[in-house]
Amino acid sequence: MVSVAEDRPLLLRALAGEDTARAPMWLMRQAGRYLPEYMAVKAKASFLEMVQTPSLAAEVTLQPLRRFDLDAAIVFADIMTPLPSMGVPVTFNPGPVVEPLRTAAAVEALRIPDGDEIAPYLCETLKLVRTELATKNVPLIGFGGAPLTLAAYLIQGSGSKEFEEFRGFLRREPSTAHALLNTLTEVSIRYLRAQVNAGAQVIQLFDSWAGLHDEDTYRTFGLPYHRRVLAAIEGVPRIFLAVGAGHLLGCIAELPCEGVSVDWRTSLSVIRSRLPGRTMQGNLDPAALLGDATSLTREANAVLRAGVGGPHIFNLGHGVFRQTAPEQVARLVDVVGGFDRHAGRR
Amino acid sequence: MVSVAEDRPLLLRALAGEDTARAPMWLMRQAGRYLPEYMAVKAKASFLEMVQTPSLAAEVTLQPLRRFDLDAAIVFADIMTPLPSMGVPVTFNPGPVVEPLRTAAAVEALRIPDGDEIAPYLCETLKLVRTELATKNVPLIGFGGAPLTLAAYLIQGSGSKEFEEFRGFLRREPSTAHALLNTLTEVSIRYLRAQVNAGAQVIQLFDSWAGLHDEDTYRTFGLPYHRRVLAAIEGVPRIFLAVGAGHLLGCIAELPCEGVSVDWRTSLSVIRSRLPGRTMQGNLDPAALLGDATSLTREANAVLRAGVGGPHIFNLGHGVFRQTAPEQVARLVDVVGGFDRHAGRR
């Protein structure tokens, strides 16, 4: 007889703190350009059209789950998705481009829309995907960008290797930066709550550019806002993702979230010792999927072994590269599925 | 009476392990686009022409020393400088671009030139600068790229945010990667020895992309080669620079070098505790120079305080941004010059 608890999706069990025998697994950017079926959709619609058309967004959200035995879906969207509702048009070329926002007046002029105004198409997508997944017992993840990462794009005006305009702005115009972060925090809360209301069962907050900052800067401009966003998400578990942030674990330890997702640079066993009681998510180098079968298996097993000792959600340290062969993802699913996390106990 | 030891340049004293009362100071990319006099030279010559014409390279090397009371010059060149002598043409657009090198045959075809063939113009520049600096008692730094960083550009074909082709190649073609790293190590040794013979008084090895890799990958493809290069430099102190490498300090601790230069992400006091006996170099965020006078002074003093407790060379965590106002650099020189590192002892 299967108990109710065992019926619960593995991902949610791991996020509830259960040290599961198999690591649940999903991949950042699992719906993406490495899949020929994704490229077939993309041939007929722009990235923005895909995100903003619920039938297309639901289709690409579900594509990787048809191919691979994954333990979660993540809704197809972008961290910049809420910005147009704030009065900031976004284009993609291929990364996001906005008119740089660098004055107090421009920050003051930002709209703070109601939750259901921010991205109604995304809520529709979430409902469609939930309906499709009802029989599969696979949970659906919603997400948003962390305020400090959204501010990086808004102030810089685009992605950047160094984000120097943004980093200089934080120093020259701290009060305007705080006003912007405050607005982004309020909108993020409304946006993520709307996703939960529409059916998201987990929320992941992406601080993709956390690694730009030293700890003092992060404590001033990142931590207070990220804490507020995470604290405002109720009813579903929260995962905080930070890239290049091995030096910020002291800050991350203060955030109210069930899971922490980290990149490949530091071993999960080291991260876990700094973040006791959290579910670890990660952290295979996405470049491992560009290796051969032998190197992929070796690297995946090293991540799996480092994840033993507490709850672990297997993932990459960052998104799937477009050059990835789908066969490599299938192989990775097999390796993770075949790893018994309790073997050492028997 | 001034002793001979006190006549010795402050930079060399700090690299010899002396806990000097004032931190010697220089800045990565101190000769660069933030200086109008540099732009005046650049208006008449391309970057490559500037590097390859000793009179121009010496001129821009010396420009920051005329404006600011700095404790070292660094010869004007690029980490890609040795590549043409190996049979790899390099263009700049504005970052380096090469024909991607991804086959065993292409690696096999690389030339290993004699030291004095690699960049004879650079040796000429070093001699010119030494002559000019003879009366100033300011030492001259030579430099090169670490083999793993050079391999990143060669295999990727250019700079890149993710260097995914390079990271995949290390996994798919490890023996070709090792052959390439071996060749780059041999050429680097010859190149850096030639710089010492021409008058370089310190050598800095730039591992600008160390931070791409996890520790296992770095131990396989980085550490053995970087150890060989550093061990082969005789007669002058060596500084190893690694960016984004807070997770690789265990590896860096194994390298034979007097100084370690780190980025701004981690406090120098933390780095020092992991690398006892080394001279710390760094680590002000270059974005601090884009702040105002108050924020710059506060951030510089925080770095200076973190550097107390052993030898410290004040520098940035990465190169000067082109948007930097020269007046900010002058202010920084004043702040560093006015900080008494022995004050707490009295």
Side-chain angles (χ1 to χ4, degrees), chain A residues 264-318:
Chain A
W264 62 93
R265 293 176 175 86
T266 307
S267 165
L268 288 182
S269 60
V270 173
I271 307 277
R272 191 189 295 286
S273 70
R274 300 283 309 280
L275 300 171
R278 306 300 175 93
T279 298
M280 296 289 102
Q281 180 175 280
N283 69 346
L284 183 69
D285 188 334
L289 286 167
L290 306 179
D292 57 27
T294 309
S295 67
L296 173 60
T297 304
R298 182 184 66 241
E299 293 190 68
N301 275 311
V303 168
L304 286 160
R305 282 193 301 272
V308 168
H312 177 207
I313 300 165
F314 190 94
N315 205 320
L316 303 181
H318 210 181

Coordinates of all heavy atoms in Angstrom, one line a residue, chain A residues 264-318:
Chain A
W264 N 28.0 25.5 -10.0 CA 28.8 24.3 -10.0 C 30.2 24.6 -9.3 O 31.0 23.7 -9.1 CB 29.1 23.8 -11.4 CG 29.8 24.8 -12.2 CD1 31.2 24.9 -12.4 CD2 29.2 25.9 -12.9 NE1 31.5 26.0 -13.2 CE2 30.3 26.6 -13.5 CE3 27.9 26.3 -13.2 CZ2 30.1 27.8 -14.3 CZ3 27.7 27.4 -13.9 CH2 28.7 28.1 -14.5
R265 N 30.4 25.8 -8.9 CA 31.8 26.2 -8.5 C 32.2 25.5 -7.2 O 33.3 25.2 -6.9 CB 32.0 27.7 -8.5 CG 31.9 28.3 -9.9 CD 32.0 29.8 -9.9 NE 32.0 30.3 -11.2 CZ 31.0 30.6 -12.0 NH1 29.8 30.3 -11.6 NH2 31.1 31.0 -13.2
T266 N 31.2 25.4 -6.3 CA 31.5 24.9 -5.0 C 30.7 23.6 -4.7 O 29.6 23.5 -5.1 CB 31.2 25.9 -3.9 OG1 31.8 27.2 -4.2 CG2 31.6 25.5 -2.5
S267 N 31.3 22.7 -4.1 CA 30.7 21.4 -3.8 C 29.4 21.6 -2.9 O 29.4 22.3 -2.0 CB 31.7 20.4 -3.1 OG 31.0 19.4 -2.5
L268 N 28.4 20.8 -3.2 CA 27.2 20.8 -2.4 C 27.4 20.5 -0.9 O 26.8 21.0 -0.1 CB 26.1 19.9 -3.0 CG 25.5 20.2 -4.3 CD1 24.4 19.2 -4.6 CD2 24.8 21.6 -4.2
S269 N 28.4 19.7 -0.7 CA 28.7 19.3 0.7 C 29.2 20.5 1.5 O 28.9 20.7 2.7 CB 29.6 18.1 0.8 OG 30.9 18.5 0.2
V270 N 30.0 21.4 0.8 CA 30.5 22.6 1.4 C 29.4 23.6 1.6 O 29.2 24.1 2.7 CB 31.6 23.2 0.6 CG1 32.0 24.6 1.1 CG2 32.8 22.3 0.5
I271 N 28.5 23.7 0.6 CA 27.4 24.6 0.7 C 26.5 24.2 1.9 O 26.0 25.0 2.7 CB 26.6 24.7 -0.6 CG1 27.5 25.0 -1.8 CG2 25.4 25.7 -0.5 CD1 27.8 26.4 -2.0
R272 N 26.2 22.9 1.9 CA 25.3 22.4 2.9 C 25.8 22.7 4.4 O 25.0 23.1 5.2 CB 25.0 20.9 2.8 CG 23.9 20.4 3.6 CD 23.8 18.9 3.6 NE 23.5 18.3 2.3 CZ 22.3 18.3 1.8 NH1 21.3 18.9 2.3 NH2 22.1 17.7 0.6
S273 N 27.1 22.6 4.5 CA 27.6 22.9 5.9 C 27.5 24.3 6.3 O 27.4 24.7 7.4 CB 29.1 22.5 5.9 OG 29.9 23.4 5.1
R274 N 27.4 25.2 5.2 CA 27.2 26.6 5.5 C 25.7 27.0 5.6 O 25.3 28.1 6.1 CB 27.8 27.5 4.4 CG 29.3 27.3 4.3 CD 30.1 28.0 5.3 NE 29.8 29.4 5.4 CZ 30.2 30.4 4.6 NH1 31.0 30.1 3.7 NH2 29.8 31.6 4.8
L275 N 24.8 26.1 5.1 CA 23.4 26.4 5.1 C 22.6 25.3 5.7 O 21.8 24.6 5.0 CB 22.9 26.7 3.6 CG 23.6 27.9 2.9 CD1 23.2 27.8 1.4 CD2 23.2 29.2 3.5
P276 N 22.9 24.9 6.9 CA 22.2 23.8 7.5 C 20.7 23.9 7.5 O 20.2 25.0 7.6 CB 22.7 23.7 8.9 CG 23.3 25.1 9.2 CD 23.7 25.7 7.9
G277 N 20.0 22.8 7.2 CA 18.6 22.8 7.3 C 17.9 23.2 6.0 O 16.7 23.1 5.8
R278 N 18.7 23.6 5.0 CA 18.1 23.9 3.7 C 18.2 22.7 2.7 O 19.2 21.9 2.8 CB 18.8 25.1 3.0 CG 18.9 26.3 3.9 CD 17.6 26.9 4.3 NE 17.8 28.0 5.2 CZ 17.8 29.3 4.8 NH1 17.7 29.6 3.6 NH2 18.1 30.2 5.7
T279 N 17.3 22.7 1.8 CA 17.3 21.7 0.7 C 18.3 22.3 -0.3 O 18.2 23.4 -0.8 CB 15.9 21.5 0.1 OG1 15.1 21.0 1.1 CG2 16.0 20.6 -1.1
M280 N 19.3 21.5 -0.7 CA 20.3 21.9 -1.7 C 19.7 21.6 -3.1 O 19.2 20.5 -3.3 CB 21.6 21.1 -1.5 CG 22.3 21.3 -0.2 SD 23.1 23.0 -0.2 CE 21.9 23.8 0.9
Q281 N 19.9 22.6 -4.0 CA 19.5 22.3 -5.4 C 20.7 22.6 -6.3 O 21.3 23.7 -6.1 CB 18.3 23.2 -5.8 CG 17.9 22.9 -7.3 CD 16.7 23.7 -7.7 OE1 15.6 23.3 -7.4 NE2 16.8 24.8 -8.4
G282 N 21.0 21.7 -7.2 CA 22.1 21.9 -8.1 C 22.9 20.7 -8.3 O 22.4 19.6 -8.0
N283 N 24.1 20.8 -8.7 CA 24.8 21.9 -9.2 C 25.8 21.5 -10.2 O 26.9 21.9 -10.3 CB 25.5 22.7 -8.0 CG 26.6 21.9 -7.4 OD1 26.8 20.7 -7.6 ND2 27.4 22.7 -6.6
L284 N 25.3 20.6 -11.1 CA 26.2 20.1 -12.2 C 26.5 21.2 -13.1 O 25.7 22.0 -13.5 CB 25.5 19.0 -13.0 CG 26.3 18.3 -14.1 CD1 27.4 17.5 -13.5 CD2 25.4 17.5 -15.0
D285 N 27.8 21.3 -13.5 CA 28.2 22.3 -14.5 C 27.4 22.0 -15.8 O 27.5 20.9 -16.3 CB 29.7 22.2 -14.8 CG 30.3 23.3 -15.7 OD1 29.5 23.8 -16.5 OD2 31.5 23.6 -15.5
P286 N 26.7 23.0 -16.4 CA 26.0 22.7 -17.6 C 26.9 22.3 -18.7 O 26.5 21.6 -19.7 CB 25.3 24.0 -18.0 CG 25.8 25.0 -17.0 CD 26.4 24.3 -15.9
A287 N 28.2 22.6 -18.6 CA 29.2 22.1 -19.6 C 29.4 20.6 -19.6 O 29.8 20.0 -20.5 CB 30.5 22.8 -19.4
A288 N 29.0 20.0 -18.4 CA 29.1 18.5 -18.3 C 28.3 17.9 -19.4 O 28.6 16.8 -19.9 CB 28.8 18.1 -16.9
L289 N 27.1 18.5 -19.7 CA 26.3 17.9 -20.8 C 26.9 18.0 -22.2 O 26.4 17.4 -23.1 CB 24.9 18.6 -20.7 CG 24.0 18.3 -19.6 CD1 22.8 19.2 -19.5 CD2 23.4 16.8 -19.7
L290 N 27.9 18.8 -22.3 CA 28.6 18.9 -23.6 C 29.8 17.9 -23.7 O 30.5 17.8 -24.7 CB 29.2 20.3 -23.8 CG 28.1 21.5 -23.7 CD1 28.8 22.8 -23.9 CD2 27.0 21.3 -24.7
G291 N 30.0 17.2 -22.6 CA 31.0 16.2 -22.6 C 30.6 14.9 -23.2 O 29.6 14.9 -23.9
D292 N 31.3 13.8 -23.0 CA 30.9 12.5 -23.6 C 30.2 11.7 -22.5 O 30.1 12.2 -21.3 CB 32.1 11.7 -24.2 CG 33.2 11.5 -23.2 OD1 32.9 11.5 -22.0 OD2 34.4 11.4 -23.6
A293 N 29.7 10.5 -22.8 CA 29.0 9.7 -21.8 C 29.8 9.5 -20.6 O 29.2 9.5 -19.4 CB 28.5 8.4 -22.5
T294 N 31.0 9.2 -20.7 CA 31.9 8.8 -19.6 C 32.0 10.0 -18.6 O 31.9 9.9 -17.4 CB 33.2 8.3 -20.0 OG1 33.0 7.3 -21.0 CG2 34.1 7.8 -18.9
S295 N 32.4 11.2 -19.2 CA 32.6 12.3 -18.4 C 31.4 12.8 -17.8 O 31.3 13.3 -16.6 CB 33.3 13.5 -19.2 OG 32.5 14.0 -20.2
L296 N 30.3 12.8 -18.5 CA 29.0 13.2 -17.9 C 28.6 12.3 -16.7 O 28.2 12.8 -15.7 CB 27.9 13.1 -19.0 CG 26.4 13.4 -18.5 CD1 26.3 14.8 -17.9 CD2 25.4 13.2 -19.6
T297 N 28.7 11.0 -16.9 CA 28.4 10.1 -15.8 C 29.2 10.4 -14.6 O 28.8 10.4 -13.4 CB 28.5 8.7 -16.3 OG1 27.7 8.5 -17.4 CG2 28.1 7.7 -15.2
R298 N 30.5 10.6 -14.8 CA 31.4 10.8 -13.7 C 31.1 12.1 -13.0 O 31.0 12.1 -11.7 CB 32.9 10.9 -14.2 CG 33.9 11.1 -13.1 CD 35.3 11.2 -13.7 NE 35.4 12.5 -14.5 CZ 35.7 12.5 -15.8 NH1 36.0 11.5 -16.5 NH2 35.8 13.7 -16.4
E299 N 30.8 13.1 -13.7 CA 30.6 14.4 -13.1 C 29.2 14.4 -12.4 O 29.1 15.0 -11.3 CB 30.6 15.6 -14.1 CG 32.0 15.8 -14.7 CD 32.1 17.1 -15.5 OE1 32.0 18.2 -14.9 OE2 32.3 17.0 -16.7
A300 N 28.2 13.8 -13.0 CA 26.9 13.7 -12.4 C 27.0 12.9 -11.1 O 26.4 13.3 -10.0 CB 25.9 13.1 -13.3
N301 N 27.7 11.8 -11.1 CA 27.8 11.0 -9.9 C 28.6 11.8 -8.8 O 28.2 11.7 -7.6 CB 28.5 9.7 -10.2 CG 27.5 8.6 -10.6 OD1 26.5 8.4 -10.0 ND2 27.9 8.0 -11.8
A302 N 29.5 12.6 -9.1 CA 30.2 13.4 -8.1 C 29.3 14.4 -7.5 O 29.3 14.6 -6.2 CB 31.4 14.2 -8.8
V303 N 28.4 15.0 -8.3 CA 27.4 15.9 -7.7 C 26.4 15.1 -6.8 O 26.1 15.6 -5.7 CB 26.6 16.6 -8.8 CG1 25.4 17.4 -8.3 CG2 27.5 17.6 -9.5
L304 N 26.0 14.0 -7.2 CA 25.0 13.2 -6.4 C 25.7 12.8 -5.1 O 25.0 12.8 -4.1 CB 24.6 11.9 -7.2 CG 23.6 12.2 -8.4 CD1 23.6 11.1 -9.4 CD2 22.2 12.5 -7.9
R305 N 26.9 12.4 -5.1 CA 27.6 12.0 -3.9 C 27.7 13.2 -3.0 O 27.5 13.1 -1.8 CB 29.0 11.4 -4.2 CG 28.9 9.9 -4.7 CD 30.3 9.3 -4.6 NE 31.3 10.0 -5.5 CZ 31.5 9.8 -6.8 NH1 30.8 8.9 -7.4 NH2 32.4 10.5 -7.5
A306 N 28.1 14.3 -3.5 CA 28.2 15.5 -2.7 C 26.9 16.0 -2.1 O 26.8 16.7 -1.1 CB 28.8 16.7 -3.5
G307 N 25.8 15.6 -2.7 CA 24.5 15.9 -2.3 C 23.9 15.1 -1.2 O 22.9 15.4 -0.5
V308 N 24.6 13.9 -0.9 CA 24.1 13.0 0.2 C 24.4 13.7 1.5 O 25.3 14.4 1.7 CB 24.9 11.7 0.1 CG1 24.7 10.8 1.3 CG2 24.5 10.9 -1.2
G309 N 23.4 13.4 2.4 CA 23.6 14.0 3.8 C 22.5 14.9 4.1 O 22.5 15.6 5.2
G310 N 21.5 15.0 3.2 CA 20.3 15.9 3.5 C 19.6 16.0 2.2 O 20.0 15.4 1.2
P311 N 18.4 16.7 2.2 CA 17.6 16.8 1.0 C 18.3 17.5 -0.2 O 19.0 18.5 0.0 CB 16.4 17.6 1.4 CG 16.8 18.3 2.7 CD 17.8 17.5 3.3
H312 N 18.2 16.8 -1.3 CA 18.9 17.3 -2.6 C 18.0 17.2 -3.8 O 17.4 16.2 -4.0 CB 20.1 16.5 -2.8 CG 20.9 16.8 -4.1 ND1 21.7 16.0 -4.8 CD2 21.0 18.0 -4.8 CE1 22.2 16.6 -5.8 NE2 21.8 17.8 -5.9
I313 N 17.8 18.4 -4.5 CA 17.2 18.4 -5.8 C 18.3 18.5 -6.8 O 19.0 19.5 -6.8 CB 16.2 19.6 -5.9 CG1 15.1 19.6 -4.8 CG2 15.6 19.7 -7.3 CD1 14.4 20.9 -4.6
F314 N 18.3 17.5 -7.7 CA 19.4 17.5 -8.7 C 19.0 18.5 -9.8 O 17.9 18.5 -10.3 CB 19.6 16.1 -9.3 CG 20.8 16.1 -10.2 CD1 22.0 15.6 -9.7 CD2 20.7 16.5 -11.5 CE1 23.1 15.6 -10.5 CE2 21.9 16.5 -12.3 CZ 23.1 16.0 -11.8
N315 N 20.0 19.4 -10.1 CA 19.8 20.3 -11.2 C 21.1 20.7 -11.7 O 22.2 20.2 -11.2 CB 19.1 21.6 -10.6 CG 18.3 22.4 -11.7 OD1 18.7 22.5 -12.8 ND2 17.1 22.9 -11.3
L316 N 21.2 21.6 -12.7 CA 22.4 22.1 -13.2 C 22.8 23.3 -12.3 O 21.9 23.9 -11.6 CB 22.3 22.6 -14.6 CG 21.9 21.5 -15.6 CD1 21.8 22.1 -17.0 CD2 22.8 20.3 -15.6
G317 N 24.0 23.8 -12.5 CA 24.4 25.0 -11.8 C 23.9 26.3 -12.5 O 23.9 27.4 -11.9
H318 N 23.5 26.1 -13.7 CA 23.0 27.2 -14.5 C 22.2 26.6 -15.7 O 22.0 25.4 -15.7 CB 24.1 28.1 -15.1 CG 23.7 29.5 -15.2 ND1 24.6 30.5 -15.7 CD2 22.6 30.2 -15.0 CE1 24.0 31.6 -15.8 NE2 22.8 31.5 -15.3

